[in-house]
Amino acid sequence: MRDLLRAYFSRRTLVSLYNLFFTLSRKLLTSFPLSLIKPKSNDGDIAVAESESLPLLDLSKPSSPISFPIKSLQDLKSRSYFNSFHFQFNRSTVPLRRNSDDLPNRPRVLICHDMKGGYVDDKWIQGCENDAGFAIWHWYLMDIFVYFSHSLVTLPPPCWINTAHRHGVKVLGTFITEWDEGKATCKDMLATKDSAQMYAERLAELATSLGFDGWLINIENEIDEEQVSNLKEFVSHLTKVLHLSTPGALVIWYDSVTVNGNLQWQDQLNEMNKPFFDLCDGIFMNYTWQESYPKLSAEAAGDRKFDFYMGIDVFGRGSFGGGKWNVNAALDLLKRNNVSAALFAPGWVYETAQPPNFHTAQNKWWSRVEKSWGIVQTYPQVLPFYSDFNQGFGYHISLEGRQLSDAPWYNISCQSLQPLLEFNEDNKDIIQVTVDAREASYNGGGNIAFRGRLEGDAYFTTRLFKPHLQLSSSPITFSYSVKSDGASKLGILLSFSSPSNETKSILLTPQEAIPRKFSDMFLQNLATSVQAVLEWTVHETSLVMDGHILTEISAFCYKPENSTERAEYVALLGHISIKDHVEYQQKPDSLPPASLWEIEAHNIELVPGDSGSKILRVKLEWRHKHPEDSSVYTRYHVYAENVKSSDLRLRKVLEQPRSETVFLGIAHVPAYYVAELVVDSDVKGVRFVVQACAEDGSSGKLDDSPNLLVELEGLSSTMS
């Protein structure tokens, strides 16, 4: 209550504050609706000033790309969002990883993100330096992810869309109206059937243009009874238009306003909210339900019982079981009733600083969800498969073992497919397994660290991934990278299911390191070829498993046979890659050369800096000359090289970046805004290099990458 009043105090008159207190008190006696579970926070106000005296941010002018909501009905109607400088940066570039657009026919898990009001560190599209920002990496435990805030139109930042899609999870934005302001908004929006349809089309256009998968509709204010029919038309038309423009898109209604226009949370599916449920793809039930409500709702839903999602507030207010560390009490009940679940605000772990630290507490909390519900996403299902275990934040960035940057960073778009590590609260395993962003990385900024003790002939295994990969007669190439001392060996254990449902295991290790004792344990030990890459050892092998299904990928920790070394065990796993062997062999040495790219500089600005230096600001844009071939590139490394010589021609020595070559950052659209590049007074020009990277972990050679020289004198630009 106190936090909520504080959040509104600076924005409300005393009369409005009294009305808010009265309304909130009444609501607290009956339910905890979605809009009140978390108070509105200034952290989420991107397009507004910190105080009323400061000017608003002009979104039409160049600046560091951000994500932001649409705050007014007029801005939604006018389509002004598409005229902002930031629009092109907000598009998701990772398609949904799913064999089918349809949701699975089983109980599902919906996660509603509401972290400090939204648009915090995740608003910075090109990333920021807060390596302690909030992230989620347990995507294999959910089907749908909703990005929520209290703005009228909450557009999911592309970082969430990119990483969720990579894991097969659909992403929804939120359309919310609330309080007296919301009632006035709905009165305008629903004035006529045509206006209801027009606003529905505006929302569908936004989802399609930005690459996310639909909307949560949250109307938390009374509706004039004569406008309820237009509200139904809004929901129905939005669903129809979205299904046409984005196959598999979803519209989910929140249990709030009823069919007679009253704001009355039902906590179950019944005749007061079912008419809205019948018009769209699902309903998110309020969280103050009783033990019998899931069963009653399932009966009301009939053959659509998986399309209603019983709400659970992770903060625990009013929820069955109390949420927090007891969230599995509600999940267990829902699972027994064979219905779907909606978990609201899992950022509780982060916001309340649960001990001992965020990373451990996060893994512990999600382990409760897994224990109750089980794994719902399996990967890989298709090739190529690649993961460098990057969680979207870290303390350095590497490429093939070479460090590009040693600065802390946060960018969830960079998150790769996440391992399904099991959390053991008692820490009794002989080897502790963690994703570790502080240790050296092979690619990106993460790795899996294995630390502990192995005595004698002991070994240790732990799951990494749970695939469902159907293999054919075509061979596959499997590779992985390891950093360790000579006495800590790390292999990869593959588990298969045969057409007759028999299981088979294959251990991948270097030939000279395979202890004889393991030959009796597995049907096959497959030797890998070994290549040293700086401090890393890259293992590679090919195998054919025609008709088999790859069902598990595990790490296998062991010591060399007859090892007399100390018992301490330390090894880092840098990446895992699986590719079709034929395509891998036929692939050229690098991605498409610079000649197949076009690159331009726009919005160039050079302003005075400190001590005679200058600050360069510029927007880089590039495109492949054959757009149909560019869809595999979802990430680009951007570099800058100061050119001090009067000879501004390109020198072909970029492959190992020189000291004057600076890694600027990572782009996930074919554009990057350089906001504050400091250049010394003797610099004649700056050459920008864009290195394309594919989802399979491959990257172009710097010498073959598109590049552009921006001459500082006269601010003319030339293309190489």
Side-chain angles (χ1 to χ4, degrees), residues 302-317:
D303 60 2
R304 291 189 62 198
K305 66 178 181 179
F306 300 143
D307 291 337
F308 78 88
Y309 303 81
M310 297 300 291
I312 304 170
D313 171 31
V314 178
F315 277 76
R317 292 156 292 194

Side-chain angles (χ1 to χ4, degrees), residues 132 143 186 191 246 289 341 416 534 602 667 688 695:
D143 299 286
C186 288
T246 308
W289 45 268
S416 66
L534 298 176
H602 301 282
F688 295 99
E695 281 286 291

Side-chain angles (χ1 to χ4, degrees), residues 45 120 153 245 277 304 328 341 357 390 422 430 534 547 653 706:
D45 295 343
V120 190
V153 180
S245 61
F277 173 71
R304 291 189 62 198
N328 51 305
N357 55 66
N390 192 328
E422 297 181 82
I430 56 176
L534 298 176
V653 290

Side-chain angles (χ1 to χ4, degrees), residues 510-571:
Q511 181 66 54
E512 68 278 6
I514 299 177
R516 289 190 299 273
K517 60 190 175 188
F518 297 148
S519 299
D520 299 329
M521 296 170 52
F522 307 106
L523 295 179
Q524 185 177 352
N525 295 140
L526 189 61
T528 62
S529 61
V530 175
Q531 178 185 1
V533 179
L534 298 176
E535 297 179 313
W536 292 85
T537 301
V538 177
H539 302 259
E540 184 175 298
T541 191
S542 295
L543 66 158
V544 177
M545 296 294 292
D546 189 10
H548 285 70
I549 297 174
L550 179 60
T551 59
E552 185 157 310
I553 302 173
S554 301
F556 189 89
C557 304
Y558 65 100
K559 292 280 188 174
E561 189 142 32
N562 301 322
S563 174
T564 58
E565 299 287 337
R566 60 186 182 179
E568 285 78 11
Y569 182 97
V570 179

Side-chain angles (χ1 to χ4, degrees), residues 292 363 498 718:
S292 62
N363 289 334
S498 72
T718 59

Side-chain angles (χ1 to χ4, degrees), residues 7-59:
Y8 275 83
F9 189 83
S10 64
R11 297 168 183 254
R12 306 273 179 173
T13 64
L14 290 176
V15 173
S16 297
L17 186 58
Y18 172 80
N19 290 336
L20 171 63
F21 179 82
F22 177 80
T23 303
L24 177 57
S25 299
R26 175 168 54 86
K27 289 183 177 184
L28 287 172
L29 293 175
T30 57
S31 67
F32 289 83
L34 188 61
S35 66
L36 290 181
I37 286 294
K38 297 297 298 307
K40 199 170 185 178
S41 167
N42 284 338
D43 288 339
D45 295 343
I46 303 309
V48 301
E50 288 294 326
S51 71
E52 300 299 331
S53 62
L54 294 178
L56 297 177
L57 173 63
D58 188 343
L59 296 171

Side-chain angles (χ1 to χ4, degrees), residues 111 174 212 283 366 392 421 428 543 598 602 672:
I111 299 296
T174 303
F212 61 95
I283 186 169
W366 282 98
L421 301 181
K428 291 182 179 180
L543 66 158
E598 296 175 344
H602 301 282
Y672 189 86

Side-chain angles (χ1 to χ4, degrees), residues 271-555:
E271 70 279 359
M272 301 303 292
N273 53 29
K274 189 173 183 295
F276 295 108
F277 173 71
D278 293 338
L279 295 173
C280 63
D281 301 296
I283 186 169
F284 183 150
M285 306 306 304
N286 192 43
Y287 344 83
T288 52
W289 45 268
Q290 304 299 313
E291 187 172 358
S292 62
Y293 288 6
K295 185 176 185 296
L296 294 173
S297 297
E299 292 171 354
D303 60 2
R304 291 189 62 198
K305 66 178 181 179
F306 300 143
D307 291 337
F308 78 88
Y309 303 81
M310 297 300 291
I312 304 170
D313 171 31
V314 178
F315 277 76
R317 292 156 292 194
S319 281
F320 181 89
K324 302 180 182 178
W325 293 113
N326 199 39
V327 69
N328 51 305
L331 286 172
D332 289 345
L333 176 63
L334 299 182
K335 193 67 180 292
R336 288 196 300 270
N337 283 276
N338 202 33
V339 298
S340 297
L343 288 161
F344 181 78
W348 167 79
V349 175
Y350 183 91
E351 291 193 61
T352 58
Q354 291 297 304
N357 55 66
F358 170 58
H359 201 278
T360 301
Q362 171 99 313
N363 289 334
K364 176 183 174 180
W365 186 86
W366 282 98
S367 73
R368 306 290 175 93
V369 178
E370 179 178 347
K371 183 178 180 180
S372 177
W373 210 265
I375 294 170
V376 301
Q377 298 282 355
T378 58
Y379 48 87
Q381 295 182 2
V382 295
L383 295 180
F385 167 77
Y386 173 82
S387 178
D388 53 34
F389 322 117
N390 192 328
Q391 290 186 331
F393 54 87
Y395 308 90
H396 60 266
I397 295 177
S398 300
L399 181 63
E400 295 182 346
R402 175 170 44 86
Q403 192 173 97
L404 301 179
S405 168
D406 60 359
W409 63 276
Y410 170 95
N411 188 342
I412 302 172
S413 273
C414 296
Q415 194 176 102
S416 66
L417 287 167
Q418 289 299 294
L420 286 63
L421 301 181
E422 297 181 82
F423 179 80
N424 296 307
E425 192 168 352
D426 56 13
N427 287 327
K428 291 182 179 180
D429 284 338
I430 56 176
I431 300 292
Q432 301 302 310
V433 184
T434 58
V435 174
D436 191 331
R438 291 190 178 274
E439 291 286 351
S441 300
Y442 181 73
N443 271 339
N447 62 74
I448 300 181
F450 303 83
R451 298 184 179 90
R453 299 177 67 86
L454 285 178
E455 303 286 353
D457 292 339
Y459 65 92
F460 173 82
T461 65
T462 187
R463 79 177 187 202
L464 300 177
F465 296 99
K466 297 285 288 186
H468 188 83
L469 181 61
Q470 179 73 55
L471 300 176
S472 66
S473 58
S474 178
I476 59 172
T477 295
F478 196 105
S479 66
Y480 64 100
S481 55
V482 176
K483 181 180 179 183
S484 70
D485 58 32
S488 299
K489 299 297 183 182
L490 181 61
I492 298 295
L493 182 61
L494 306 179
S495 299
F496 301 88
S497 174
S498 72
S500 58
N501 293 323
E502 296 177 340
T503 60
K504 182 176 184 178
S505 297
I506 296 179
L507 178 61
L508 308 183
T509 55
Q511 181 66 54
E512 68 278 6
I514 299 177
R516 289 190 299 273
K517 60 190 175 188
F518 297 148
S519 299
D520 299 329
M521 296 170 52
F522 307 106
L523 295 179
Q524 185 177 352
N525 295 140
L526 189 61
T528 62
S529 61
V530 175
Q531 178 185 1
V533 179
L534 298 176
E535 297 179 313
W536 292 85
T537 301
V538 177
H539 302 259
E540 184 175 298
T541 191
S542 295
L543 66 158
V544 177
M545 296 294 292
D546 189 10
H548 285 70
I549 297 174
L550 179 60
T551 59
E552 185 157 310
I553 302 173
S554 301

